[in-house]
Amino acid sequence: MAAVKWVTLRSQWLGQQLRDLREANGLILKDAAEYLQRDPGTVSRFETGGYPIRRPDLLALLDLYGVADPRRREEFVRLSQEVWKKGWWDGYAGEVAGAFVDYVWLEFRAREIRTFDNILLPGLFQTPRYARAAITAAEYDASEAQIDRWVELRMGRQKVFEEDNPPRFMAIIDEAVLRREVGGRECQTEQLCHLADQVARPNVEIRIMPFSAGAHASPAGAFRIFTMGESFPEVGYAETPKGAIYVESPDSERFMRMYDELRKLTLGPEESTEFIVATAEELSR
Protein backbone atom coordinates (compact mmCIF):
# COMPACT_ATOMS: atom_id res chain seq x y z
CA MET A 1 0.00 0.00 0.00
CA ALA A 2 2.88 2.37 -0.66
CA ALA A 3 1.89 5.92 -1.49
CA VAL A 4 2.43 7.21 -5.02
CA LYS A 5 1.72 10.42 -6.90
CA TRP A 6 -1.24 9.91 -9.19
CA VAL A 7 -3.67 11.58 -11.56
CA THR A 8 -7.19 11.03 -10.27
CA LEU A 9 -9.90 9.40 -12.32
CA ARG A 10 -11.98 12.54 -11.85
CA SER A 11 -9.40 14.79 -13.50
CA GLN A 12 -8.74 12.23 -16.24
CA TRP A 13 -12.44 12.05 -17.13
CA LEU A 14 -12.81 15.83 -17.24
CA GLY A 15 -9.63 16.21 -19.29
CA GLN A 16 -10.72 13.56 -21.78
CA GLN A 17 -14.03 15.31 -22.36
CA LEU A 18 -12.31 18.66 -22.87
CA ARG A 19 -9.87 17.08 -25.34
CA ASP A 20 -12.74 15.47 -27.25
CA LEU A 21 -14.51 18.84 -27.48
CA ARG A 22 -11.39 20.60 -28.73
CA GLU A 23 -10.73 17.99 -31.39
CA ALA A 24 -14.39 17.96 -32.45
CA ASN A 25 -14.04 21.69 -33.12
CA GLY A 26 -10.92 21.18 -35.22
CA LEU A 27 -8.73 23.12 -32.78
CA ILE A 28 -5.20 22.42 -31.62
CA LEU A 29 -3.71 23.02 -28.18
CA LYS A 30 -2.21 26.32 -29.32
CA ASP A 31 -5.66 27.62 -30.30
CA ALA A 32 -7.15 26.84 -26.88
CA ALA A 33 -4.08 28.24 -25.11
CA GLU A 34 -4.24 31.53 -27.01
CA TYR A 35 -7.94 31.87 -26.17
CA LEU A 36 -7.20 31.37 -22.46
CA GLN A 37 -3.98 33.43 -22.69
CA ARG A 38 -2.11 30.48 -21.24
CA ASP A 39 0.78 28.29 -22.26
CA PRO A 40 -0.10 25.24 -24.46
CA GLY A 41 1.59 23.04 -21.84
CA THR A 42 -0.94 24.19 -19.24
CA VAL A 43 -3.87 23.31 -21.50
CA SER A 44 -2.25 19.95 -22.19
CA ARG A 45 -2.07 19.29 -18.43
CA PHE A 46 -5.76 20.19 -18.17
CA GLU A 47 -6.51 17.52 -20.77
CA THR A 48 -4.32 14.81 -19.25
CA GLY A 49 -5.63 15.50 -15.76
CA GLY A 50 -2.17 16.49 -14.55
CA TYR A 51 -3.50 19.83 -13.34
CA PRO A 52 -7.16 20.42 -12.44
CA ILE A 53 -8.81 23.23 -14.37
CA ARG A 54 -10.27 26.23 -12.55
CA ARG A 55 -13.87 27.28 -13.12
CA PRO A 56 -13.09 30.48 -15.12
CA ASP A 57 -10.86 28.58 -17.54
CA LEU A 58 -13.42 25.78 -17.82
CA LEU A 59 -16.27 28.15 -18.65
CA ALA A 60 -14.09 29.96 -21.18
CA LEU A 61 -13.24 26.70 -22.94
CA LEU A 62 -16.90 25.69 -23.02
CA ASP A 63 -17.63 29.03 -24.72
CA LEU A 64 -14.81 28.42 -27.22
CA TYR A 65 -16.06 24.90 -27.95
CA GLY A 66 -19.64 26.03 -28.44
CA VAL A 67 -21.16 24.22 -25.45
CA ALA A 68 -24.26 26.35 -24.90
CA ASP A 69 -26.70 23.86 -23.37
CA PRO A 70 -27.12 24.92 -19.68
CA ARG A 71 -27.54 21.35 -18.47
CA ARG A 72 -24.37 20.14 -20.18
CA ARG A 73 -22.40 23.13 -18.92
CA GLU A 74 -23.60 22.40 -15.39
CA GLU A 75 -22.42 18.78 -15.75
CA PHE A 76 -18.94 20.01 -16.64
CA VAL A 77 -18.92 22.42 -13.70
CA ARG A 78 -20.07 19.69 -11.34
CA LEU A 79 -17.35 17.35 -12.58
CA SER A 80 -14.72 20.06 -12.14
CA GLN A 81 -15.92 20.58 -8.58
CA GLU A 82 -15.47 16.84 -7.96
CA VAL A 83 -11.87 17.21 -9.12
CA TRP A 84 -11.12 19.93 -6.58
CA LYS A 85 -13.29 18.68 -3.74
CA LYS A 86 -11.57 16.83 -0.92
CA GLY A 87 -13.29 13.92 0.81
CA TRP A 88 -12.43 12.47 4.22
CA TRP A 89 -10.61 9.65 2.42
CA ASP A 90 -8.07 12.07 0.93
CA GLY A 91 -6.58 12.29 4.42
CA TYR A 92 -5.19 8.80 3.81
CA ALA A 93 -3.58 9.66 0.46
CA GLY A 94 -0.09 9.53 1.94
CA GLU A 95 -0.61 6.03 3.32
CA VAL A 96 -2.27 4.13 0.47
CA ALA A 97 -1.74 3.93 -3.26
CA GLY A 98 -3.36 6.85 -5.04
CA ALA A 99 -5.46 4.45 -7.09
CA PHE A 100 -7.13 3.24 -3.90
CA VAL A 101 -8.14 6.76 -2.90
CA ASP A 102 -9.92 6.85 -6.26
CA TYR A 103 -11.58 3.56 -5.30
CA VAL A 104 -13.04 5.06 -2.11
CA TRP A 105 -14.21 8.09 -4.07
CA LEU A 106 -15.96 5.74 -6.51
CA GLU A 107 -17.76 3.99 -3.63
CA PHE A 108 -19.17 7.32 -2.45
CA ARG A 109 -19.98 8.57 -5.97
CA ALA A 110 -21.54 5.43 -7.47
CA ARG A 111 -25.24 4.81 -7.86
CA GLU A 112 -24.76 1.04 -7.99
CA ILE A 113 -21.89 -1.21 -6.95
CA ARG A 114 -21.69 -4.84 -8.04
CA THR A 115 -19.03 -7.09 -6.54
CA PHE A 116 -17.73 -10.63 -6.83
CA ASP A 117 -15.46 -12.03 -4.12
CA ASN A 118 -13.85 -15.44 -3.75
CA ILE A 119 -11.22 -14.90 -1.01
CA LEU A 120 -12.38 -12.19 1.42
CA LEU A 121 -15.61 -10.36 2.10
CA PRO A 122 -16.09 -6.88 0.60
CA GLY A 123 -14.56 -4.23 2.83
CA LEU A 124 -17.95 -2.55 3.28
CA PHE A 125 -19.18 -5.66 5.12
CA GLN A 126 -16.13 -6.38 7.25
CA THR A 127 -16.03 -6.14 11.04
CA PRO A 128 -13.01 -4.38 12.60
CA ARG A 129 -11.66 -7.69 13.88
CA TYR A 130 -11.99 -9.42 10.51
CA ALA A 131 -10.50 -6.41 8.70
CA ARG A 132 -7.49 -6.35 10.99
CA ALA A 133 -6.82 -10.06 10.47
CA ALA A 134 -7.14 -9.71 6.69
CA ILE A 135 -4.93 -6.61 6.46
CA THR A 136 -2.30 -8.04 8.80
CA ALA A 137 -2.04 -11.19 6.67
CA ALA A 138 -1.69 -9.21 3.43
CA GLU A 139 0.62 -6.50 4.81
CA TYR A 140 2.80 -8.81 6.90
CA ASP A 141 5.70 -6.34 7.12
CA ALA A 142 3.64 -3.28 8.14
CA SER A 143 3.81 -1.67 11.56
CA GLU A 144 0.97 -1.94 14.03
CA ALA A 145 0.34 1.80 13.73
CA GLN A 146 0.05 1.54 9.95
CA ILE A 147 -2.35 -1.38 10.21
CA ASP A 148 -4.44 0.68 12.63
CA ARG A 149 -4.75 3.42 10.00
CA TRP A 150 -5.73 0.98 7.25
CA VAL A 151 -8.37 -0.61 9.48
CA GLU A 152 -9.63 2.88 10.29
CA LEU A 153 -9.90 3.67 6.58
CA ARG A 154 -11.76 0.44 5.89
CA MET A 155 -14.26 1.14 8.66
CA GLY A 156 -14.62 4.72 7.46
CA ARG A 157 -15.63 3.48 4.01
CA GLN A 158 -18.71 1.91 5.57
CA LYS A 159 -20.07 5.45 6.13
CA VAL A 160 -21.33 5.20 2.56
CA PHE A 161 -24.32 3.26 3.92
CA GLU A 162 -25.19 6.28 6.08
CA GLU A 163 -25.41 8.69 3.15
CA ASP A 164 -28.79 10.22 2.24
CA ASN A 165 -28.76 8.29 -1.05
CA PRO A 166 -26.47 5.29 -0.53
CA PRO A 167 -25.55 3.21 -3.56
CA ARG A 168 -27.38 0.03 -4.45
CA PHE A 169 -24.91 -2.67 -3.38
CA MET A 170 -25.13 -6.13 -4.96
CA ALA A 171 -22.61 -8.72 -3.81
CA ILE A 172 -21.89 -12.20 -5.11
CA ILE A 173 -19.81 -14.13 -2.57
CA ASP A 174 -18.22 -17.50 -3.19
CA GLU A 175 -18.90 -20.13 -0.53
CA ALA A 176 -15.13 -20.34 0.03
CA VAL A 177 -15.26 -16.85 1.58
CA LEU A 178 -17.72 -18.09 4.21
CA ARG A 179 -15.62 -21.16 4.97
CA ARG A 180 -12.26 -19.39 5.22
CA GLU A 181 -11.60 -18.79 8.93
CA VAL A 182 -10.06 -15.31 8.78
CA GLY A 183 -8.78 -14.40 12.24
CA GLY A 184 -9.85 -17.78 13.61
CA ARG A 185 -13.17 -19.52 14.07
CA GLU A 186 -14.60 -17.06 16.60
CA CYS A 187 -13.74 -14.06 14.44
CA GLN A 188 -15.24 -15.69 11.35
CA THR A 189 -18.43 -16.61 13.22
CA GLU A 190 -18.83 -13.02 14.41
CA GLN A 191 -18.20 -11.82 10.86
CA LEU A 192 -20.84 -14.10 9.34
CA CYS A 193 -23.43 -12.96 11.86
CA HIS A 194 -22.63 -9.37 10.91
CA LEU A 195 -22.90 -10.26 7.22
CA ALA A 196 -26.33 -11.81 7.74
CA ASP A 197 -27.46 -8.55 9.37
CA GLN A 198 -26.47 -6.51 6.30
CA VAL A 199 -29.25 -7.96 4.16
CA ALA A 200 -31.73 -5.95 6.24
CA ARG A 201 -30.49 -2.83 4.46
CA PRO A 202 -32.94 -1.95 1.67
CA ASN A 203 -30.11 -1.15 -0.73
CA VAL A 204 -28.13 -4.37 -0.18
CA GLU A 205 -28.43 -7.71 -1.98
CA ILE A 206 -26.15 -10.60 -1.03
CA ARG A 207 -26.03 -13.80 -3.08
CA ILE A 208 -23.91 -16.83 -2.26
CA MET A 209 -22.36 -18.94 -5.01
CA PRO A 210 -22.11 -22.48 -3.56
CA PHE A 211 -19.30 -24.91 -4.30
CA SER A 212 -21.83 -26.99 -6.23
CA ALA A 213 -21.87 -24.25 -8.91
CA GLY A 214 -18.56 -25.62 -10.17
CA ALA A 215 -16.43 -23.68 -12.66
CA HIS A 216 -17.55 -20.13 -13.38
CA ALA A 217 -17.00 -17.01 -15.48
CA SER A 218 -14.37 -15.35 -13.25
CA PRO A 219 -11.56 -17.82 -12.57
CA ALA A 220 -9.18 -14.85 -12.24
CA GLY A 221 -10.95 -13.78 -9.06
CA ALA A 222 -12.65 -10.77 -7.50
CA PHE A 223 -13.80 -7.64 -9.30
CA ARG A 224 -16.10 -4.64 -8.88
CA ILE A 225 -18.38 -2.64 -11.16
CA PHE A 226 -19.25 0.97 -10.37
CA THR A 227 -22.26 2.44 -12.16
CA MET A 228 -21.93 6.20 -12.01
CA GLY A 229 -24.20 9.16 -12.67
CA GLU A 230 -24.20 11.49 -15.64
CA SER A 231 -20.83 12.73 -16.91
CA PHE A 232 -19.11 9.60 -15.61
CA PRO A 233 -18.42 6.27 -17.34
CA GLU A 234 -19.22 2.87 -15.88
CA VAL A 235 -16.07 1.50 -14.26
CA GLY A 236 -14.80 -2.04 -13.79
CA TYR A 237 -12.14 -2.60 -11.12
CA ALA A 238 -9.83 -5.51 -10.40
CA GLU A 239 -6.68 -5.99 -8.36
CA THR A 240 -3.53 -7.60 -9.72
CA PRO A 241 -0.10 -8.36 -8.17
CA LYS A 242 1.11 -5.21 -9.94
CA GLY A 243 -1.67 -3.00 -8.61
CA ALA A 244 -5.29 -2.18 -9.34
CA ILE A 245 -6.71 -1.59 -12.81
CA TYR A 246 -9.71 0.53 -13.75
CA VAL A 247 -11.57 -0.26 -16.97
CA GLU A 248 -14.03 2.28 -18.29
CA SER A 249 -17.06 1.78 -20.51
CA PRO A 250 -17.46 0.41 -23.12
CA ASP A 251 -14.64 -1.99 -22.13
CA SER A 252 -16.23 -2.43 -18.69
CA GLU A 253 -19.12 -4.29 -20.35
CA ARG A 254 -16.99 -7.43 -20.07
CA PHE A 255 -17.19 -7.12 -16.28
CA MET A 256 -20.96 -6.77 -16.45
CA ARG A 257 -21.29 -9.89 -18.59
CA MET A 258 -19.16 -11.84 -16.12
CA TYR A 259 -21.29 -10.61 -13.23
CA ASP A 260 -24.49 -11.65 -15.01
CA GLU A 261 -23.08 -15.12 -15.70
CA LEU A 262 -21.98 -15.53 -12.07
CA ARG A 263 -25.37 -14.40 -10.80
CA LYS A 264 -27.01 -17.31 -12.65
CA LEU A 265 -25.06 -19.70 -10.41
CA THR A 266 -26.00 -18.13 -7.09
CA LEU A 267 -28.61 -18.90 -4.47
CA GLY A 268 -31.46 -16.41 -4.19
CA PRO A 269 -31.23 -13.64 -1.56
CA GLU A 270 -33.33 -15.50 1.05
CA GLU A 271 -31.55 -18.80 0.46
CA SER A 272 -28.23 -16.97 0.68
CA THR A 273 -29.11 -15.47 4.05
CA GLU A 274 -30.12 -18.89 5.33
CA PHE A 275 -26.83 -20.31 4.03
CA ILE A 276 -24.82 -17.60 5.83
CA VAL A 277 -26.66 -18.20 9.11
CA ALA A 278 -26.26 -21.98 8.82
CA THR A 279 -22.54 -21.63 8.17
CA ALA A 280 -22.17 -19.37 11.20
CA GLU A 281 -23.99 -21.93 13.33
CA GLU A 282 -21.66 -24.68 12.11
CA LEU A 283 -18.61 -22.63 13.05
CA SER A 284 -19.95 -21.81 16.50
CA ARG A 285 -20.36 -25.47 17.51
Side-chain angles (χ1 to χ4, degrees):
M1 293 188 178
V4 296
K5 183 177 180 181
W6 82 103
V7 176
T8 67
L9 287 176
R10 303 157 251 188
S11 56
Q12 283 182 318
W13 290 340
L14 177 59
Q16 178 63 54
Q17 291 188 57
L18 290 174
R19 181 165 60 251
D20 291 346
L21 282 172
R22 176 176 59 76
E23 292 176 349
N25 279 272
L27 301 174
I28 61 175
L29 281 171
K30 183 180 179 181
D31 298 326
E34 288 179 351
Y35 188 80
L36 294 178
Q37 297 185 335
R38 287 186 174 273
D39 184 87
T42 299
V43 178
S44 176
R45 287 192 290 275
F46 289 159
E47 293 186 353
T48 60
Y51 184 78
I53 190 169
R54 297 281 186 178
R55 182 187 177 102
D57 287 330
L58 173 63
L59 294 177
L61 285 180
L62 294 180
D63 290 340
L64 175 64
Y65 301 152
V67 180
D69 179 67
R71 182 176 177 182
R72 193 173 183 207
R73 289 174 71 91
E74 180 56 33
E75 288 174 0
F76 273 100
V77 170
R78 187 164 57 248
L79 180 53
S80 71
Q81 290 171 340
E82 292 279 354
V83 171
W84 283 101
K85 186 169 66 176
K86 293 289 186 180
W88 63 267
W89 49 84
D90 289 300
Y92 295 85
E95 300 165 81
V96 299
F100 192 73
V101 175
D102 275 330
Y103 179 92
V104 182
W105 175 76
L106 282 170
E107 284 183 330
F108 277 77
R109 190 64 177 78
R111 291 180 176 177
E112 290 187 346
I113 303 172
R114 295 172 173 83
T115 67
F116 168 65
D117 289 278
N118 63 337
I119 299 295
L120 296 170
L121 287 169
L124 295 183
F125 292 153
Q126 293 181 12
T127 65
R129 190 176 175 186
Y130 181 100
R132 180 174 296 278
I135 292 171
T136 300
E139 305 295 336
Y140 47 84
D141 55 353
S143 68
E144 192 68 24
Q146 184 60 78
I147 290 172
D148 287 343
R149 286 287 284 170
W150 288 331
V151 172
E152 183 181 278
L153 172 59
R154 189 162 298 182
M155 295 302 102
R157 287 165 49 204
Q158 296 176 9
K159 295 175 186 175
V160 71
F161 288 132
E162 300 170 11
E163 295 286 295
D164 291 336
N165 294 298
R168 172 78 171 145
F169 194 96
M170 292 165 280
I172 295 175
I173 301 171
D174 193 286
E175 181 180 346
V177 178
L178 307 187
R179 304 290 183 185
R180 188 179 302 278
E181 296 180 14
V182 175
R185 178 165 291 214
E186 184 180 331
C187 175
Q188 183 70 8
T189 301
E190 175 189 66
Q191 174 62 75
L192 293 185
C193 291
H194 176 72
L195 179 63
D197 290 341
Q198 300 309 297
V199 299
R201 297 182 183 275
N203 60 311
V204 170
E205 176 185 277
I206 298 175
R207 289 174 172 265
I208 303 301
M209 187 170 68
F211 287 145
S212 59
H216 54 72
S218 186
F223 63 88
R224 279 91 177 88
I225 305 165
F226 297 93
T227 300
M228 313 296 286
E230 294 180 4
S231 303
F232 297 93
E234 185 175 71
V235 181
Y237 170 94
E239 294 184 359
T240 76
K242 283 299 222 179
I245 60 169
Y246 293 90
V247 181
E248 300 172 19
S249 53
D251 293 335
S252 61
E253 291 175 5
R254 173 68 178 176
F255 285 85
M256 186 60 76
R257 289 197 297 271
M258 284 197 301
Y259 181 88
D260 290 342
E261 289 301 311
L262 292 170
R263 193 172 186 274
K264 296 175 183 177
L265 302 176
T266 64
L267 304 176
E270 290 185 9
E271 290 178 286
S272 294
T273 302
E274 292 171 359
F275 195 97
I276 294 168
V277 171
T279 306
E281 291 175 349
E282 288 177 25
L283 285 171
S284 65
R285 291 172 189 159

